[in-house]
C-alpha cells in the first residue's frame, strides 16, 4: 500500500461533485495520498470545507499540496472549461478527472415536470459529457490520463421512482463505452466507470421529490468511504468497470437472466422500503440551485427502513410468493406459429 500511495503522490486530480458525499470523500482520500486535488461543485462554502479537510489529511511534509477550489456547475460548458483552465494555470496538467457530480429526482416519469427530469439529465449526463469533452483532448495531447465516471447499479437496471436518474446513468455508461473505442489506440489513456449500489450520502434528502414521502436508501447500504477507496483503486490500477460491492454484478447478471421475475421483485421492494410513511411536501430539492440551508456532509441522515439481514429474508419470501403466484395463474392457450402456418385453407 505504501508503494501505491507513493505512486499517487503529486498527481493532479480534478473531482467534480466535491462539496459533499462521495466527491468530498474522494478529495480527502486523495489528499491523504499526496495528490494535488481540485475541488469542483456549485457550493463555494462547502468546497472550502472540503479543502480544509484535504489540508488536514495531507501527509506531513507534503509541501505545496494545497487543494484548489473552483466553484463549478458541470452542466454549464463555460464553467467546465474554466475549471480545466484553472487547473492548468496552477499545475500545467491533469492526470485524473473524476466525474462525481450528480443529483436525482424521486418521481415516476409522468408525475414531475419535464424541466425537473431534464435537469437530472443535464447534471448527471451532460455534466459528464462536458467534462469528457474538456479533458479528453488534453489527455490526447499528454498521451496519458485517467477519466473516471461515477455511474450506478442503475446504469444497468431500471428503477421506476428515479427514471431520469437511471436514464442519465445508462447514458454515462454508454458514453464511457464510446470513449473506450475512440481511445483504443491510446494505451495510456484510461476510461473507467464505477457502479455503486445505494450509498449513504445526502443524495436521498437533497434531491427533488414528487412522491410525497421521504426517500430512504435501500439495503445493503454502501459507505461513501468504500466507494471512494474503489475510485482510488482505479487510479492505482485502471480497469474498465468496477461494481461496489462486487456482488452487485451478480444481481445485474441475474436480472439479465430472469428479467420478468427480478423486475417484479424490485418493484415490490421499492414500494415497501424506498420511502418513509410520513407525508412530505413536494420539492425540486437541489436540482436547479443548492437547497436552502443545505450543508455539505459525506454521510446522509436517512437510514434504511429495514436491516440488511431482514431485507434479504424478505426478498426470499417475496420471491417465493411471486413464483407461487406465477404458477397458479391460468396460462393463456395460443396456437403455435407452425400450427397457424399449416392450418388448412378454406
Amino acid at each position: 500500500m505504501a508503494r501505491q500511495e507513493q505512486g499517487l503522490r503529486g498527481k493532479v486530480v480534478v473531482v467534480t461533485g466535491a462539496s459533499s458525499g462521495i466527491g468530498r470523500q474522494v478529495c480527502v482520500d486523495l489528499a491523504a495520498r499526496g495528490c494535488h486535488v481540485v475541488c469542483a461543485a456549485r457550493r463555494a462554502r462547502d468546497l472550502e470545507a472540503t479543502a480544509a479537510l484535504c489540508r488536514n489529511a495531507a501527509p506531513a511534509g507534503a509541501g505545496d499540496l494545497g487543494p484548489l477550489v473552483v466553484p463549478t456547475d458541470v452542466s454549464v460548458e463555460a464553467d467546465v472549461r474554466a475549471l480545466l483552465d484553472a487547473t492548468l494555470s496552477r499545475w500545467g496538467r491533469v492526470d485524473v478527472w473524476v466525474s462525481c457530480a450528480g443529483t436525482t429526482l424521486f418521481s415516476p416519469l409522468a408525475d414531475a415536470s419535464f424541466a425537473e427530469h431534464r435537469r437530472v439529465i443535464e447534471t448527471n449526463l451532460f455534466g459528464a459529457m462536458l467534462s469528457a469533452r474538456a479533458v479528453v483532448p488534453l489527455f490526447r495531447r499528454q498521451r496519458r490520463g485517467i477519466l473516471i465516471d461515477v455511474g450506478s447499479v442503475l446504469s444497468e437496471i431500471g428503477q421506476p421512482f428515479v427514471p431520469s436518474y437511471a436514464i442519465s446513468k445508462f447514458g454515462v455508461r454508454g458514453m464511457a463505452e464510446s470513449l473506450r473505442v475512440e481511445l483504443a489506440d491510446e494505451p495510456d489513456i484510461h476510461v473507467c466507470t464505477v457502479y455503486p449500489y445505494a450509498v449513504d450520502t445526502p443524495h436521498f434528502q437533497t434531491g427533488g421529490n414528487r412522491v410525497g414521502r421521504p426517500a430512504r436508501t435501500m439495503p445493503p447500504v454502501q459507505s461513501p468511504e468504500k466507494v471512494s477507496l474503489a475510485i482510488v483503486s482505479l487510479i492505482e490500477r485502471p480497469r474498465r468497470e468496477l461494481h461496489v460491492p462486487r456482488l452487485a454484478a451478480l444481481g445485474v447478471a441475474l436480472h439479465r437472466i430472469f428479467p420478468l421475475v427480478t423486475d417484479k421483485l424490485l418493484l415490490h421492494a421499492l414500494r415497501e422500503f424506498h420511502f418513509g410513511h410520513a407525508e412530505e411536501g413536494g420539492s425540486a430539492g437541489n436540482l436547479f440551485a443548492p437547497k436552502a440551508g443545505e450543508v455539505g456532509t459525506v454521510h446522509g441522515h436517512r437510514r434504511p427502513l429495514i436491516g440488511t439481514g431482514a431485507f434479504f429474508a424478505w426478498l426470499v419470501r417475496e420471491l417465493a410468493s411471486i413464483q407461487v403466484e406465477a404458477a397458479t395463474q391460468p396460462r393463456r392457450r395460443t396456437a403455435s406459429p407452425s400450427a397457424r402456418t399449416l392450418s388448412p385453407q378454406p
Side-chain angles (χ1 to χ4, degrees):
M1 176 61 74
R3 185 164 53 192
Q4 290 175 326
E5 292 184 5
Q6 187 64 33
L8 290 179
R9 191 182 184 91
K11 285 190 177 296
V12 177
V13 186
V14 176
V15 182
T16 69
S19 58
S20 65
I22 297 170
R24 172 174 284 186
Q25 188 61 45
V26 169
C27 289
V28 174
D29 284 342
L30 291 174
R33 288 159 173 77
C35 293
H36 300 298
V37 181
V38 184
C39 308
R42 292 179 301 179
R43 304 194 307 270
R45 181 189 61 185
D46 289 325
L47 286 180
E48 293 294 348
T50 299
L53 293 171
C54 290
R55 285 190 287 269
N56 290 337
D64 182 22
L65 296 177
L68 175 64
V69 168
V70 185
T72 306
D73 183 337
V74 295
S75 69
V76 178
E77 186 169 14
D79 277 19
V80 177
R81 292 287 177 182
L83 170 60
L84 177 63
D85 290 345
T87 305
L88 293 177
S89 178
R90 181 156 179 181
W91 284 297
R93 70 182 195 280
V94 174
D95 298 306
V96 183
W97 187 295
V98 183
S99 286
C100 204
T103 189
T104 196
L105 170 64
F106 297 96
S107 170
L109 193 58
D111 288 359
S113 71
F114 192 73
E116 290 173 328
H117 286 294
R118 180 171 54 214
R119 182 59 182 165
V120 176
I121 306 294
E122 290 172 347
T123 301
N124 299 0
L125 177 56
F126 291 178
M129 292 173 66
L130 289 171
S131 293
R133 279 170 54 86
V135 77
V136 167
L138 173 65
F139 286 168
R140 282 190 177 278
R141 294 195 296 272
Q142 295 177 167
R143 303 302 300 273
R144 60 181 177 80
I146 302 172
L147 173 63
I148 300 175
D149 292 304
V150 178
S152 165
V153 70
L154 299 186
S155 296
E156 302 174 277
I157 297 176
Q159 212 266 46
F161 297 108
V162 289
S164 47
Y165 181 87
I167 291 165
S168 71
K169 294 301 185 179
F170 266 77
V172 167
R173 182 168 182 254
M175 182 193 72
E177 291 286 349
S178 299
L179 286 174
R180 289 185 191 109
V181 178
E182 177 184 333
L183 298 167
D185 287 333
E186 298 284 354
D188 294 322
I189 301 178
H190 305 278
V191 178
C192 312
T193 317
V194 60
Y195 301 120
Y197 186 73
V199 186
D200 173 27
T201 70
H203 174 92
F204 295 92
Q205 65 220 35
T206 59
N209 191 326
R210 298 302 180 187
V211 173
R213 291 187 292 151
R216 298 274 181 168
T217 185
M218 297 283 288
V221 183
Q222 309 307 301
S223 71
E225 290 86 354
K226 183 174 182 179
V227 180
S228 175
L229 290 178
I231 291 171
V232 171
S233 78
L234 288 175
I235 300 174
E236 294 168 338
R237 183 169 68 87
R239 284 148 284 167
R240 295 169 67 94
E241 297 181 331
L242 181 60
H243 289 83
V244 183
R246 293 179 186 272
L247 188 62
L250 176 60
V252 173
L254 289 173
H255 181 263
R256 290 172 181 164
I257 298 170
F258 306 108
L260 298 180
V261 172
T262 52
D263 280 350
K264 185 171 288 190
L265 187 62
L266 178 59
L267 176 62
H268 293 183
L270 291 167
R271 283 175 174 169
E272 189 74 19
F273 303 115
H274 198 26
F275 299 94
H277 302 296
E279 293 187 2
E280 180 178 81
S283 167
N286 65 0
L287 291 176
F288 300 99
K291 199 172 181 180
E294 181 181 356
V295 177
T297 59
V298 170
H299 295 269
H301 60 68
R302 290 186 177 172
R303 306 303 300 161
L305 293 175
I306 186 172
T308 300
F311 179 64
F312 279 114
W314 181 92
L315 286 176
V316 171
R317 293 193 302 270
E318 189 65 17
L319 178 59
S321 175
I322 291 171
Q323 296 286 34
V324 169
E325 179 185 358
T328 56
Q329 283 182 345
R331 296 183 180 179
R332 284 179 283 185
R333 301 174 66 88
T334 57
S336 67
S338 58
R340 289 195 296 268
T341 303
L342 300 176
S343 58
Q345 297 297 314

